[in-house]
Amino acid sequence: MEEVTLNAAENSARKKRLYSAVQPTNALTIGNYIGAIRNMVAMQDEYDCLFAIANMHAITVRQVPAELRKNTLAMLALYMACGLSPERCTLYVQSHVPCHAELAWVLNTFTYVGEMERMTQFKDKSAKHADNINMGLMDYPVLMAADILLYNADVVPVGVDQRQHLEITRDIAVRFNNIYSPTFVVPEGVYPKVGAKVGDLLDPTKKMSKSSENTAGTVFMSDDKDTVIRKFRRAVTDSDSEVRYNPEEKPGVSNLLSIYTAFSGKSIEEAEREFAGRGYGDFKLAVGEVVADRLAPVQKEQARLLADKEYLNSVLKEGAARAYKIASGTLSKVYRKIGFYQL
């Protein structure tokens, strides 16, 4: 129990620091839960964790201001409903710590245009938002580098689509350190384990995404039980009838097995034995039910927390104060090294 009750300052002296930031949206999927949130909850006792709600990153794509504000609180409440505790980690909103933008400007001068133009995500987002290819969209990885390097994070959880961004963060840190002497910790990536990637229920070869054109294959954390069951009943399987894990030959069934094990806590082997000799209809219904039953208490707790805005604001104020104390120290060091005159 000692691990749980240590405050952030004590943790930082004895644990490696972990940093993660997610854009605020009220449309997080079960893929986000399995691949990110669930791991964050598990890591908050192993590391000194800072979890940011990345609203500055969010505005690279046009946002409705009222929705962005609403979704920021909704994400905090969802994090906490899933098990992230402000007593065990630092929860804060990115824009509440101005050091992020300030360090990003400095790091821009250590980043080359060609490096940004090669970023796969920039190319993808430019194609999706051809009417708004703004500099923020291109500069996104530099702000991400500032996010991470401000806190001298030792480790960063990253998915496949963010590996390039972590590599450019490492490159920028090494480049700065080589010019001005060691300043930044060069972070390592913590990559999701097998089963972290959740496929679309209608096309399991594609990642389940909140931005899919057809949301029938996407299960959102906010979906009610009837909706969850309906989506799983329509999930694609194959012409066989055996519930067996083989992503190459049976991508649909394997995807459902991964989801089932993530939400039930059972192993793949246990799940295969459980559904041996049973049809796909029973299998899909069971997956839907275990997911819906797991989401229900999370949704209830999120609603309870959202009803207490004063408490959520206090969590964010405390989190911002903790984050700023670390970030401002790093920024001051950077300013001194590059020659900025400071009062």
Side-chain angles (χ1 to χ4, degrees):
M1 294 298 293
E2 182 183 359
E3 290 285 312
V4 175
T5 57
L6 287 173
N7 63 36
E10 290 169 324
N11 279 348
S12 62
R14 67 198 302 274
K15 296 179 180 178
K16 286 187 176 181
R17 182 170 291 150
L18 179 147
Y19 184 87
S20 180
V22 178
Q23 293 186 37
T25 170
N26 202 30
L28 291 184
T29 73
I30 60 169
N32 298 127
Y33 172 75
I34 295 173
I37 299 176
R38 186 180 61 158
N39 292 330
M40 290 158 62
V41 172
M43 291 185 293
Q44 66 182 330
D45 292 325
E46 182 180 354
Y47 297 97
D48 170 25
C49 293
L50 292 103
F51 297 124
I53 298 173
N55 59 343
M56 294 170 69
H57 285 291
I59 63 170
T60 58
V61 176
R62 291 286 174 262
Q63 302 287 332
V64 177
E67 289 184 4
L68 181 58
R69 286 189 287 270
K70 177 183 176 182
N71 289 341
T72 297
L73 271 189
M75 173 162 279
L76 173 65
L78 179 62
Y79 272 177
M80 294 172 66
C82 288
L84 289 180
S85 167
E87 285 76 39
R88 295 153 67 189
C89 62
T90 300
L91 297 166
Y92 75 102
V93 174
Q94 187 184 26
S95 65
H96 291 172
V97 182
C99 305
H100 287 261
E102 295 175 86
L103 182 60
W105 175 250
V106 174
L107 298 185
N108 274 323
T109 66
F110 295 86
T111 309
Y112 305 124
V113 174
E115 292 175 316
M116 295 297 95
E117 291 176 334
R118 288 193 294 272
M119 292 288 113
T120 301
Q121 195 170 78
F122 170 66
K123 296 176 183 177
D124 292 344
K125 286 198 171 184
S126 295
K128 290 180 180 178
H129 305 280
D131 59 336
N132 184 28
I133 305 176
N134 57 74
M135 283 306 300
L137 201 61
M138 177 178 282
D139 207 34
Y140 184 104
V142 181
L143 179 57
M144 182 179 287
D147 297 340
I148 298 165
L149 299 180
L150 268 177
Y151 300 98
N152 286 309
D154 300 286
V155 294
V156 181
V158 286
V160 175
D161 57 342
Q162 296 291 349
R163 290 192 184 196
Q164 262 192 322
H165 292 167
L166 180 60
E167 287 307 311
I168 197 66
T169 297
R170 290 169 53 83
D171 290 344
I172 293 170
V174 169
R175 195 173 293 156
F176 190 98
N177 289 349
N178 286 342
I179 295 172
Y180 291 107
S181 77
T183 306
F184 297 121
V185 171
V186 181
E188 299 289 338
V190 176
Y191 298 97
K193 297 177 181 178
V194 175
K197 180 181 177 181
V198 176
D200 187 284
L201 298 185
L202 300 182
D203 184 357
T205 63
K206 294 180 180 178
K207 180 181 177 182
M208 184 179 286
S209 173
K210 61 192 177 189
S211 59
S212 295
E213 292 183 8
N214 186 355
T215 58
T218 302
V219 180
F220 296 101
M221 294 290 289
S222 56
D223 283 344
D224 60 35
K225 185 166 185 174
D226 288 344
T227 302
V228 172
I229 297 296
R230 183 173 66 254
K231 288 180 177 180
F232 276 102
R233 282 189 182 278
R234 296 175 180 175
V236 301
T237 48
D238 50 51
S239 58
D240 193 0
S241 60
E242 184 182 8
V243 177
R244 175 169 52 86
Y245 189 79
N246 188 320
E248 288 73 31
E249 296 179 9
K250 301 168 74 69
V253 172
S254 298
N255 185 44
L256 293 174
L257 274 169
S258 292
I259 295 170
Y260 183 74
T261 57
F263 279 88
S264 69
K266 298 178 181 179
S267 68
I268 292 290
E269 293 75 17
E270 288 173 331
E272 288 175 332
R273 288 195 296 270
E274 180 180 351
F275 295 103
R278 296 167 64 180
Y280 284 160
D282 284 350
F283 173 51
K284 291 193 286 187
L285 176 60
V287 180
E289 287 182 336
V290 76
V291 171
D293 290 346
R294 176 68 183 89
L295 293 182
V298 171
Q299 293 165 353
K300 183 178 180 180
E301 177 64 5
Q302 183 188 27
R304 186 191 70 80
L305 289 166
L306 283 171
D308 192 350
K309 186 177 178 180
E310 185 177 347
Y311 171 62
L312 292 179
N313 283 342
S314 71
V315 170
L316 291 179
K317 286 179 182 178
E318 182 179 345
R322 287 186 200 168
Y324 180 77
K325 184 175 182 180
I326 302 169
S328 60
T330 303
L331 186 66
S332 179
K333 185 188 298 184
V334 169
Y335 277 5
R336 185 176 68 253
K337 290 197 175 187
I338 64 176
F340 281 2
Y341 182 80
Q342 299 181 76
L343 298 176

